[in-house]
Amino acid sequence: MQKISLKKSIIVLLDLLLAVYLVFAMTSFSHPDESKKVCTDVSINIADGATYGFLKAKDIKTILERKKLYPYHQKLDEVNPRIIEDALKVGSFINTAECYKTQDGHVYINVTQRLPIVRVKNDRDEDYYVDDQGSVMPTSRYTSDLIICTGNISQAFAKTHLVYLVEAIMANKMWFNLVEQINVLPNQGIEIVPRVGNHVVYLGQLPRAKQNSVRRQLITEMINSKMTRLEKFYRYGLSQAGWNKYKYINLEFDNQIVCKK
């Protein structure tokens, strides 16, 4: 009986040693020694880079090189994806950043851009963009066809009101193509300068509300109503009377359009 018990114990011990060996072997295979490996390739992908054009791969490389974080030819065990991500996220034009490395020495960096929707050039000589999240961005080499907003515009007004006005216009392709410029008067009344004709359109003041969601809805409803009226006036009025007949078109009040020559 003792021989049988001893035999079983030896078998159990061998099984245990085999299991430990297999775990060690699999761990070593899955996580090979990085101390001897270096980064041999860096892939930088910028989502919608061709559409928005703010960032290029070389910009990402420059940011990391300045902070001595560009991974090319660095030892893999010294490449920290989290530190690279954090370094990129503070960039003015970067929305999100993701970095990871593979055991074959390849480091991947994926970036999404912040999306500007309007350029502000106000009467205080400030020049900046506002993105789709209502945040201010510095100007750059970006040359996309954005609506330009001028006049009495504070950054607070741009972020809490102007961005919703532009969003409502951008939602309709015809209106977006029509509006070349938005001007904010001293009383914060809104004028738009169309690409057609030789006139200015006055829309009135934007609705106010404490909650962003409520303000956004009210502004959207206002712009949809007034731009629909303007579109009908263009179709059935100015198309017959002539695009340059009036200098000023006032849509401030509902159910009427006041025109001045």
Side-chain angles (χ1 to χ4, degrees):
M1 294 291 292
Q2 291 180 351
K3 291 182 179 180
I4 295 175
S5 178
L6 179 60
K7 185 177 180 181
K8 288 183 177 180
S9 298
I10 293 173
I11 293 174
V12 170
L13 180 60
L14 290 174
D15 288 342
L16 181 60
L17 290 173
L18 178 61
V20 171
Y21 171 77
L22 290 174
V23 170
F24 176 78
M26 292 179 66
T27 303
S28 298
F29 179 77
S30 301
H31 304 281
D33 184 12
E34 290 187 348
S35 63
K36 299 179 181 179
K37 290 191 173 185
V38 298
C39 171
T40 57
D41 196 9
V42 180
S43 293
I44 300 175
N45 176 60
I46 301 174
D48 297 320
T51 302
Y52 304 140
F54 262 112
L55 292 170
K56 308 290 183 184
K58 64 180 182 180
D59 298 323
I60 303 301
K61 180 180 178 181
T62 299
I63 292 172
L64 296 177
E65 285 179 337
R66 287 175 179 170
K67 299 184 178 183
K68 302 185 184 306
L69 292 174
Y70 192 65
Y72 189 62
H73 279 178
Q74 287 190 14
K75 292 182 179 180
L76 274 186
D77 63 343
E78 296 178 356
V79 176
N80 189 320
R82 178 61 63 84
I83 293 178
I84 290 176
E85 291 172 356
D86 291 341
L88 291 175
K89 288 176 183 177
V90 299
S92 300
F93 306 110
I94 296 173
N95 185 29
T96 63
E98 177 189 49
C99 177
Y100 63 93
K101 56 186 177 180
T102 60
Q103 295 303 327
D104 61 358
H106 205 136
V107 174
Y108 293 86
I109 300 173
N110 298 316
V111 172
T112 62
Q113 303 178 81
R114 293 171 62 185
L115 174 60
I117 62 173
V118 63
R119 182 169 185 171
V120 175
K121 302 183 73 172
N122 63 23
D123 54 11
R124 305 170 194 175
D125 293 326
E126 294 177 330
D127 188 356
Y128 55 87
Y129 299 114
V130 181
D131 69 9
D132 57 340
Q133 302 300 316
S135 298
V136 171
M137 302 170 60
T139 55
S140 74
R141 61 180 176 271
Y142 189 65
T143 58
S144 182
D145 189 19
L146 297 178
I147 294 175
I148 296 177
C149 294
T150 58
N152 181 36
I153 306 171
S154 66
Q155 289 194 7
F157 183 77
K159 294 187 288 186
T160 59
H161 290 78
L162 201 59
V163 65
Y164 300 140
L165 163 63
V166 175
E167 277 185 350
I169 293 174
M170 290 179 62
N172 185 299
K173 186 176 180 180
M174 178 181 175
W175 300 346
F176 179 63
N177 291 331
L178 172 69
V179 178
E180 181 176 19
Q181 179 182 341
I182 294 172
N183 185 55
V184 182
L185 299 175
N187 67 350
Q188 294 189 328
I190 303 297
E191 294 177 332
I192 63 171
V193 180
R195 296 182 188 275
V196 296
N198 186 27
H199 57 266
V200 173
V201 179
Y202 181 65
L203 302 181
Q205 295 181 333
L206 297 177
R208 304 298 179 95
K210 290 184 178 181
Q211 293 185 355
N212 286 337
S213 58
V214 175
R215 189 186 322 114
R216 184 178 194 172
Q217 180 180 352
L218 291 175
I219 292 175
T220 300
E221 291 174 352
M222 169 188 168
I223 297 306
N224 288 346
S225 173
K226 293 186 183 296
M227 292 301 293
T228 298
R229 287 166 54 204
L230 179 63
E231 181 180 344
K232 290 180 179 178
F233 179 65
Y234 279 170
R235 289 181 183 275
Y236 306 111
L238 289 190
S239 62
Q240 303 295 325
W243 291 101
N244 296 320
K245 183 173 182 178
Y246 302 110
K247 297 295 184 182
Y248 207 80
I249 299 173
N250 189 334
L251 300 177
E252 180 180 10
F253 303 106
D254 294 336
N255 302 319
Q256 67 175 356
I257 299 176
V258 179
C259 300
K260 296 180 180 179
K261 294 184 178 181

